Amino acid sequence: MYAVGRLGSYISRGVYTVSGPFHPFGGAVDIIVVEQPDGSFRSSPWYVRFGKFQGVLKTREKVVRISVNGVDAGFHMYLDHKGEAYFLKEKSVKKMVRSVTPTSEQLASLNLKEGSNSVTFTFSTAMLGDQQQVDARIYLWKWNTRIIISDVDGTITKSDVLGQFMPLVGMDWAQTGVAHLFSAIKENGYQLLFLSARAISQAYHTRRFLSQTFLNYKYKFLDLQDGKGLPDGPVVISPDGLFPSLYREVIRRAPHEFKIACLEEIKALFPPDYNPFYAGFGNRNTDEISYLKVGIPKGKIFTINPKGEVVVNKHINTKSYSSLHALVHGMFPPTAKSEPVSLCLNRIQ
């Protein structure tokens, strides 16, 4: 009876924890902006979606307003009949073309601060009766940033499926030591990028899962022995809808198709003679395929097996994230940009 009551308590707390904006087909992917050596800016795609019910909207209702750090951006996006947002760019005197990235000048006008910036996309419609909104974050990085990629399900969590479900009922399903290790890597000057083949409609809850799940309860997504949470970093997920993403992940078992394309887009933001990707963490052979494709050497690809052991180049070199932490300065030597971590994901709004 006690166990049943405790489970009920977990469920009720979990429902409260994940309450938030309901976007069954919508969301926004975190954005990476890279400042170039000449001071110009390049951006990853701005994938923003409001759902598939926008076909009846009037022309004036299809304008998506953008606010960055609480300030109006001074430019906007538009909605198509699928509810997907896009920019219009002038290709010639009388021709405009669609784009999913703003210009360098528009990016410069945002006055982004280095690191994380909040961005809000909104539009109003009489049909729905109120203002519709999705949120994301924009990360401003330098051209010489070193990036550590981490898969989410089965890598940060203990398993793919239960890793998505158990936090919803208030239970800790994180790999032991992952926050401690990733915090140490961040302190050595690297940036963390969280990559998942989840659908764009799961963007809000994926960010919330990584940042705030369990933080108000006994079971916290922290290394309790030192109080460290996961370090801050963009959460980059599939811009596709829920069903195409599930079909690719579950039926075709080809999440690497999305991951490779996504990582190549991010790599293209940096100078052509510079590879920003230093290492990658995953739990499947498809993660290794993705990381090798973008130039990460085998010795810097860490695969987490079902036992929670860390495998490098098919050899179990260390028992866990916790024991890997002891080798962090050798495997992830401090960079010139090393600085204390002041933001953990549990502080992200």
Side-chain angles (χ1 to χ4, degrees):
M1 191 69 180
Y2 171 76
V4 173
R6 190 175 183 184
L7 178 59
S9 175
Y10 285 152
I11 293 174
S12 63
R13 291 185 308 191
V15 170
Y16 175 81
T17 301
V18 300
S19 63
F22 177 63
H23 298 299
F25 300 104
V29 177
D30 283 347
I31 300 158
I32 297 171
V33 174
V34 177
E35 184 176 359
Q36 305 300 306
D38 64 1
S40 62
F41 298 91
R42 292 179 184 172
S43 170
S44 62
W46 291 42
Y47 291 123
V48 181
R49 189 168 183 169
F50 284 93
K52 296 185 177 181
F53 46 78
Q54 317 304 342
V56 297
L57 295 181
K58 299 177 182 179
T59 300
R60 66 176 181 273
E61 294 178 327
K62 294 185 178 182
V63 174
V64 178
R65 297 173 182 82
I66 304 169
S67 175
V68 177
N69 295 328
V71 179
D72 185 80
F75 56 91
H76 54 263
M77 302 179 79
Y78 300 90
L79 282 180
D80 66 12
H81 68 284
K82 296 180 181 179
E84 297 175 0
Y86 62 93
F87 295 101
L88 280 179
K89 289 185 178 180
E90 186 175 332
K91 185 176 182 180
S92 60
V93 177
K94 294 184 178 181
K95 187 174 182 180
M96 304 292 285
V97 295
R98 286 180 54 149
S99 174
V100 289
T101 57
T103 65
S104 176
E105 292 74 19
Q106 288 172 324
L107 291 169
S109 72
L110 297 177
N111 295 316
L112 298 171
K113 62 183 180 181
E114 189 167 358
S116 178
N117 301 262
S118 64
V119 58
T120 300
F121 303 92
T122 59
F123 83 97
S124 299
T125 168
M127 180 187 73
L128 298 177
D130 58 5
Q131 181 172 273
Q132 303 298 303
Q133 174 179 318
V134 294
D135 304 294
R137 298 166 299 179
I138 302 175
Y139 286 81
L140 176 61
W141 289 344
K142 298 291 187 180
W143 66 268
N144 57 351
T145 296
R146 284 186 169 183
I147 301 172
I148 309 299
I149 309 164
S150 176
D151 175 52
V152 176
D153 299 311
T155 302
I156 292 176
T157 64
K158 293 178 182 177
S159 63
D160 286 323
V161 178
L162 289 179
Q164 296 189 46
F165 172 74
M166 299 305 280
L168 300 183
V169 295
M171 297 186 68
D172 182 3
W173 210 249
Q175 296 278 6
T176 301
V178 61
H180 193 190
L181 173 63
F182 283 4
S183 293
I185 292 173
K186 181 75 177 270
E187 288 168 2
N188 278 0
Y190 300 83
Q191 296 293 339
L192 272 294
L193 185 157
F194 300 99
L195 181 65
S196 173
R198 293 183 182 187
I200 192 170
S201 59
Q202 296 173 285
Y204 171 82
H205 290 300
T206 301
R207 281 191 289 266
R208 187 174 178 85
F209 159 70
L210 290 173
S211 62
Q212 294 180 345
T213 303
F214 318 134
L215 292 180
N216 296 323
Y217 307 118
K218 177 180 177 181
Y219 294 91
K220 296 185 178 182
F221 195 36
L222 297 171
D223 286 328
L224 297 180
Q225 68 270 22
D226 58 17
K228 287 187 178 293
L230 278 171
D232 188 18
V235 179
V236 181
I237 62 179
S238 171
D240 297 326
L242 180 61
F243 297 113
S245 296
L246 286 174
Y247 179 76
R248 180 178 55 230
E249 175 96 12
V250 179
I251 306 300
R252 295 183 55 238
R253 296 186 178 276
H256 58 288
E257 293 178 353
F258 153 72
K259 291 184 177 181
I260 290 172
C262 174
L263 292 175
E264 287 181 338
E265 283 182 332
I266 294 172
K267 186 177 180 180
L269 304 179
F270 293 82
D273 58 348
Y274 180 76
N275 187 353
F277 300 126
Y278 184 81
F281 289 80
N283 72 311
R284 295 182 180 182
N285 66 325
T286 53
D287 293 321
E288 181 176 354
I289 292 171
S290 302
Y291 301 156
L292 288 172
K293 186 68 174 179
V294 294
I296 298 177
K298 282 192 173 183
K300 294 295 183 181
I301 297 175
F302 303 88
T303 302
I304 317 306
N305 68 22
K307 297 179 181 179
E309 298 169 327
V310 180
V311 180
V312 182
N313 200 13
K314 302 188 184 301
H315 297 288
I316 301 176
N317 291 343
T318 183
K319 292 295 184 182
S320 66
Y321 281 120
S322 297
S323 53
L324 185 61
H325 178 268
L327 308 173
V328 69
H329 295 301
M331 291 187 169
F332 305 93
T335 70
K337 299 175 66 176
S338 300
E339 59 183 6
V341 178
S342 59
L343 287 177
C344 289
L345 281 177
N346 60 323
R347 299 178 186 173
I348 297 172
Q349 299 300 318

